[in-house]
Amino acid sequence: MLSRPRSTTARSTIAGTARGFVTLLLAAAVAISGSVGAFAQNVPIVRDAEIEALVRDYARPIFKAAGLANDGIDIVLVNDPSFNAFVTGRRMFINTGALMTAETPNEIIGVMAHEAGHIAGGHQQKLRDQLERAKTMAIIATLLGAGAIVAGATTNSRGLAGAGMGVAAGGGEMAQRSILAYQRTEETTADRSAITYLNATGQSGMGMLKTFSRFQSALSLSGTQVDPYRISHPMPQERIANLETLVKQSPYVNKLDPPALQQRHDMMRIKIAVYMQGQAAASRLMRKNPGSLASRYGDAQIAYLYGNLNAALAKTAALIKEQPKNPYFQELRGDILMKANKPKDAADAYAKAVSLDPAKSGLLPVSLGQALMAIGTPESLKKAAAQISNGLGRDKENAAGYRYLAQAYGELGEIPAADLATAEGHFYSGDYRNAKIFAMRAQQKMKRGEPGWLRAQDIINYAPSGKTK
Ligand SMILES: [Zn+2]
């Protein structure tokens, strides 16, 4: 589940009690060009195996129908209450605000279908290519407004900096927060494509219509929150009317989401509420459907975060009894046991979560590794390093994971491996300067040409945005 803020420039400010649900407050050294290294911005990214798997399950059939089948789509959850979602190609960025707004899977799936329509239509391809090359952190920084600062600070505009500049030139302060802005004609094309994909996958367009109608209505203008999505996707009345016609022509117009998917969606929303918005917001959501599995899941999470660990364990045990194959209930059990200072039992729970996880998330082995580290025997430390490496193999950009890996190697006395792991962590956070320092330190104690040495050399040779520094 969601956990742990961290910072890359101010090293390891580990705050927050929640483990699984990982909130990474990343000081992204926005590595667009050498000259902007001084700009650091706290960037909130949410890492969570359950939510990432669900969002990927939403995207997969749509992307396949759009001919974009790409199993390796990275889901990047941005902790921002506004509505935004876009795809660069390999990565899908989606705000927690979008997930919280959507009452059904179909509403999010509709937006994904529309985004797939933009990709298939080749809209903003050049910008998308630039985004694809950029590091995740740099894109997030741009998303949340830092891009405009960065663009202003650089003399040459290329890559993301150029993108930030272009967006900034297109409109006011709000527009800076919307990376991909489309023409009205492109919206019509994307809507038509979206309906094609939804029909091909036997899904209704009503969710998309509901979402876009909400953006279009005067109501959304009166709110204090400005949704970047609405700014980047023009929604004149006429477009909504045309879309409505298309949606209602579909044979699947009244098709509802499968109940199991709706249940996962409800669990996700309550989880986001519990971890990101607090107990009151979660309780409000849970009251709408008291006694449901999602509400009881929220209840167990609230007990874990704010209440009594024994109660949390009992509530989680009841959930596990109901869905013994749910990896995220095991993960919650592991989180609770870690907080209760029972790393052995926690490791057992995480090991179950890893083995049950059909999505093969890289996050769960890292949690397992942390529990094994906490056990602290030489044997468990070795297993910890292996598990964390396994997790990082599945999920290279999990910068926090490298810190745990470095710690495990450090405790094992394997200092060059620890230095290389630290170098990787800095590298994937975009802090190339420290990455190189640690890569060089690692190389000094490694045999020339061995795999670790070669990887260190890659880091040393890496030049962001084609610049050498
Ligand atoms: Zn659009």
Side-chain angles (χ1 to χ4, degrees):
M1 286 177 285
L2 308 187
S3 88
R4 302 216 160 174
R6 79 195 163 88
S7 155
T8 50
T9 49
R11 214 166 303 154
S12 69
T13 13
I14 300 176
T17 49
R19 285 176 34 79
F21 202 110
V22 189
T23 312
L24 307 175
L25 291 176
L26 290 159
V30 183
I32 291 154
S33 78
S35 60
V36 296
F39 283 84
Q41 169 93 3
N42 278 338
V43 173
I45 288 221
V46 173
R47 293 302 313 273
D48 181 72
E50 181 175 24
I51 301 174
E52 289 171 12
L54 180 60
V55 173
R56 209 176 285 118
D57 284 350
Y58 291 167
R60 194 177 299 110
I62 291 293
F63 280 33
K64 198 172 167 215
L68 308 167
N70 185 348
D71 263 352
I73 300 166
D74 289 329
I75 305 293
V76 183
L77 301 169
V78 182
N79 181 24
D80 191 286
S82 66
F83 195 109
N84 205 4
F86 66 90
V87 184
T88 60
R90 187 173 56 80
R91 283 168 296 187
M92 159 158 261
F93 292 80
I94 187 157
N95 283 6
T96 49
L99 300 175
M100 287 304 286
T101 306
E103 289 179 347
T104 63
N106 188 249
E107 289 171 40
I108 286 294
I109 292 167
V111 169
M112 289 176 170
H114 176 87
E115 290 306 296
H118 280 309
I119 299 176
H123 307 157
Q124 292 278 23
Q125 192 54 52
K126 210 173 144 196
L127 182 48
R128 218 184 286 277
D129 289 345
Q130 289 172 346
L131 292 171
E132 192 58 51
R133 284 193 299 272
K135 282 263 185 300
T136 303
M137 286 311 117
I139 296 173
I140 306 272
T142 305
L143 254 188
L144 300 179
I149 304 165
V150 169
T154 50
T155 45
N156 70 326
S157 62
R158 69 163 121 192
L160 243 184
M165 196 95 93
V167 172
E173 205 257 335
M174 308 307 184
Q176 291 164 5
R177 301 190 64 195
S178 61
I179 291 188
L180 296 160
Y182 298 99
Q183 308 291 322
R184 288 183 180 204
T185 50
E186 292 176 328
E187 291 304 328
T188 307
T189 308
D191 285 342
R192 288 186 174 279
S193 303
I195 296 295
T196 306
Y197 311 146
L198 289 167
N199 283 343
T201 53
Q203 301 182 90
S204 169
M206 286 303 282
M208 179 171 60
L209 182 63
K210 185 182 170 193
T211 301
F212 291 170
S213 302
R214 199 184 51 245
F215 285 134
Q216 199 274 329
S217 75
L219 204 69
S220 67
L221 293 170
S222 64
T224 49
Q225 191 161 281
V226 175
D227 291 313
Y229 195 84
R230 193 169 65 88
I231 294 158
S232 52
H233 299 254
M235 312 222 183
Q237 184 92 54
E238 186 196 3
R239 177 189 160 200
I240 303 297
N242 289 338
L243 179 61
E244 186 169 3
T245 306
L246 286 173
V247 167
K248 292 192 170 160
Q249 278 167 358
S250 163
Y252 305 105
V253 59
N254 293 317
K255 183 97 178 277
L256 297 177
D257 296 300
L261 204 64
Q262 181 68 52
Q263 187 178 61
R264 287 173 70 193
H265 189 85
D266 295 344
M267 290 199 281
M268 167 188 70
R269 287 177 78 213
I270 287 175
K271 190 186 217 177
I272 293 172
V274 172
Y275 284 86
M276 299 311 204
Q277 301 173 342
Q279 207 169 340
S283 299
R284 252 194 322 275
L285 209 51
M286 286 153 60
R287 267 200 298 276
K288 287 183 186 165
N289 205 347
S292 67
L293 188 73
S295 290
R296 282 180 286 128
Y297 189 29
D299 206 28
Q301 291 163 343
I302 287 171
Y304 156 57
L305 287 175
Y306 310 105
N308 166 317
L309 294 179
N310 282 330
L313 275 178
K315 288 171 197 287
T316 305
L319 295 170
I320 290 171
K321 201 172 167 199
E322 194 164 330
Q323 283 194 352
K325 290 195 172 163
N326 188 319
Y328 314 112
F329 293 166
Q330 297 289 348
E331 185 192 18
L332 175 59
R333 184 175 149 76
D335 293 347
I336 299 165
L337 289 164
M338 280 299 276
K339 200 174 174 184
N341 206 14
K342 292 180 177 167
K344 260 190 184 160
D345 295 339
D348 289 344
Y350 288 132
K352 270 195 197 123
V354 170
S355 69
L356 289 171
D357 177 22
K360 301 227 173 300
S361 168
L363 296 172
L364 298 175
V366 172
S367 292
L368 171 55
Q370 286 177 264
L372 290 164
M373 271 170 71
I375 296 171
T377 63
E379 197 191 341
S380 72
L381 281 170
K382 264 184 211 158
K383 281 188 195 160
Q387 283 298 337
I388 298 170
S389 296
N390 171 25
L392 291 168
R394 296 173 178 184
D395 182 6
K396 273 196 313 201
E397 290 201 21
N398 179 7
Y402 294 103
R403 208 172 52 238
Y404 307 131
L405 185 61
Q407 199 186 330
Y409 281 133
E411 286 177 28
L412 283 164
E414 297 180 26
I415 304 306
D419 285 339
L420 181 59
T422 302
E424 297 268 27
H426 286 306
F427 181 79
Y428 286 109
S429 311
D431 179 357
Y432 302 116
R433 201 175 140 266
N434 274 310
K436 279 171 205 203
I437 289 170
F438 280 93
M440 285 193 263
R441 198 184 288 182
Q443 270 195 341
Q444 285 169 5
K445 289 167 202 147
M446 285 175 167
K447 220 182 277 164
R448 195 184 174 86
E450 71 169 275
W453 188 94
L454 290 171
R455 176 58 194 149
Q457 193 61 37
D458 285 344
I459 292 172
I460 292 163
N461 290 341
Y462 183 77
S465 298
K467 279 196 169 185
T468 45
K469 190 184 174 190

